[in-house]
Amino acid sequence: MRLPGARRRRCALKDRTGARKLTEEGMSKDPTHKDWWDSRFAEGLALLAVSILLFSFLWRVPNPDQAVLNQLERLSFDLQMELLRAMHPRPAAVEPVLIGVDESAEDAFEEPIAMWHKHFAKTLDALVQAKPALVGMDVQLPSRSFDRILPGLDYAFLVSLFRIKQNVPFVVVHTIDRIGDLAPIHQPYLNRLGDETFALDRVLEDPDRVARRYNEREIIQEGSLHPFAGHIARVLGKPVQAGYIDFSVGGKIQYIPIQNVIRWLDAGDVAELKRRFEGRVVLIGSVTRAQDRWNLPVPLADWERNQRGELTTNQPGVIVHYQTLRSLLGDGLVVPLPDWLKWAICGLILMVVFLPSNRHVYWGTLLAVPVVLALSVLLITAKIFIPAVTFLVLLWISVLVGAAADGTHTLIEKNRLKGSFYGSVSPAVLQEILAGNLESGVNAKSADVCVMFT
């Protein structure tokens, strides 16, 4: 039975009043609101899983060493080191002195380098008179005797080695052969110096063949020798940690040719020797282009230039030790965030996927790029390294995944509205509805409504 028109109007008004009252009392009591919340939360979990999957792909595929994200982190570190050297140069707290064996020394000395016993002996004798804080010799000692060729050659070198060890803290490298074992050293040198004098000559390379980090656990096995720079730091009473070498401190590195040191000794110029070396950490090493070369994030050796006169990042191995000592003997290495803190921050960033996509989120994401990068550079000066690229990539993944989901919902809703109103309203009104320019609901206090019944 149909109700009279007035009664139908009163029932409709009652229904609308009841609905409005229910809304005012709180939608938490409305089952439809709970369903909406559950669906929205479930959708957020699904989007969270998608974000983690995309992040894992960038972080682990094809493998952790060659993954895009890790390559970008290494590139970011190099660019920050260059930026700091250019915009905020800082002196090293401890600046070693380098005595270099270069091509001019090979031309000046008649013997092959394997028989430079007397030249190295004179260099060590000169440093005994100069009284440096420590001498580190990045030159492998002879593997066999040459006394049959030049009688007395071994003895002269052994005397100088013993003399410098008695007067100055002394560390000499023990190199690695091609199969990864310690290269042989003539036994009398080992007996004269003792195990405590030797250190491992090994540099830690990243997967892109660039030396950025110092981590003894990755370099040596338990019970083996300490690496060269770390052993020098321990002899001088400095703590040794793992981390990134701070390539942003210190200026361009120069060296003193070994033949100059010998010339000062032969001339009896002790004053010049003391001026150059007294109280300082002295390194002796090869600076030739023929051997022991490593790639660094920034160019440090001032003499390493290409044919166009530009500084190159392919440097002698002694430069890696030199810059590591700048860090270890100074303010320390640049330490990465602990893993637990890094992943906790990543977890917080992933929560962005639950936020609705709007212009505030987009602007915040854009603003985060310069803020995070500037914070990363600032923290490096405080000896802290944050994975800025990882954080930013994870933020963008979360925002884009959420935006893609909201865009899909918008497209589905427009298609639904188009199907509902197509043929019922004019094309112009339908376009306004799809564009979101028309809102549902009418303000009864201010609107004049005309209804025609036919």
Side-chain angles (χ1 to χ4, degrees), residues 45-57:
L45 291 179
L47 296 179
L48 180 64
V50 172
S51 299
I52 294 175
L53 184 63
L54 290 174
F55 174 75
S56 300
F57 178 83

Side-chain angles (χ1 to χ4, degrees), residues 251-267:
K252 291 291 188 294
I253 299 173
Q254 304 285 349
Y255 72 91
I256 300 172
I258 190 172
Q259 58 268 36
N260 289 4
V261 180
I262 296 173
R263 186 172 63 250
W264 295 329
L265 176 69
D266 292 339

Side-chain angles (χ1 to χ4, degrees), residues 161-240:
L161 288 169
F162 182 74
R163 184 183 297 118
I164 195 165
K165 183 182 178 182
Q166 294 297 111
N167 290 275
V168 178
F170 182 59
V171 177
V172 64
V173 296
H174 203 147
T175 59
I176 306 297
D177 60 19
R178 295 180 179 179
I179 62 175
D181 296 330
L182 291 175
I185 295 178
H186 192 39
Q187 192 62 42
Y189 296 101
L190 296 174
N191 296 339
R192 177 68 68 174
L193 295 175
D195 292 342
E196 71 280 0
T197 305
F198 289 93
L200 196 64
D201 185 19
R202 177 175 285 179
V203 173
L204 183 62
E205 273 187 321
D206 282 335
D208 59 353
R209 307 301 300 273
V210 177
R212 298 182 182 89
R213 299 178 297 119
Y214 182 87
N215 189 337
E216 294 187 348
R217 290 185 178 180
E218 297 184 42
I219 297 176
I220 63 175
Q221 298 178 350
E222 187 176 354
S224 181
L225 299 173
H226 291 296
F228 187 55
H231 190 51
I232 290 176
R234 286 184 174 89
V235 171
L236 295 175
K238 294 290 185 176
V240 178

Side-chain angles (χ1 to χ4, degrees), residues 75-182:
L75 178 60
S76 170
F77 177 83
D78 298 349
L79 292 176
Q80 290 180 76
M81 290 293 117
E82 291 184 1
L83 179 64
L84 283 170
R85 292 189 71 86
M87 305 298 294
H88 185 52
R90 293 164 293 145
V94 176
E95 193 71 59
V97 183
L98 176 58
I99 298 175
V101 178
D102 58 11
E103 287 81 1
S104 65
E106 294 178 346
D107 295 336
F109 301 150
E110 297 178 354
E111 307 87 353
I113 191 169
M115 299 176 63
W116 280 14
H117 298 55
K118 66 177 183 180
H119 306 303
F120 287 125
K122 283 189 174 184
T123 303
L124 297 178
D125 290 340
L127 292 174
V128 169
Q129 296 190 40
K131 300 188 184 310
L134 179 142
V135 174
M137 191 170 179
D138 186 21
V139 177
Q140 176 77 349
L141 295 180
S143 60
R144 60 189 181 89
S145 173
F146 291 91
D147 272 4
R148 291 184 180 180
I149 302 174
L150 291 174
L153 200 62
D154 293 341
Y155 178 77
F157 197 12
L158 283 167
V159 169
S160 296
L161 288 169
F162 182 74
R163 184 183 297 118
I164 195 165
K165 183 182 178 182
Q166 294 297 111
N167 290 275
V168 178
F170 182 59
V171 177
V172 64
V173 296
H174 203 147
T175 59
I176 306 297
D177 60 19
R178 295 180 179 179
I179 62 175
D181 296 330
L182 291 175

Side-chain angles (χ1 to χ4, degrees), residues 85 95-98 249-255 296 299-304 315 318-320 322-323 326:
R85 292 189 71 86
E95 193 71 59
V97 183
L98 176 58
V249 298
K252 291 291 188 294
I253 299 173
Q254 304 285 349
Y255 72 91
L296 302 184
L300 293 174
D302 198 31
W303 64 91
E304 291 290 342
Q315 308 268 290
V318 70
I319 300 300
V320 184
Y322 189 107
Q323 191 66 27
R326 276 176 165 175

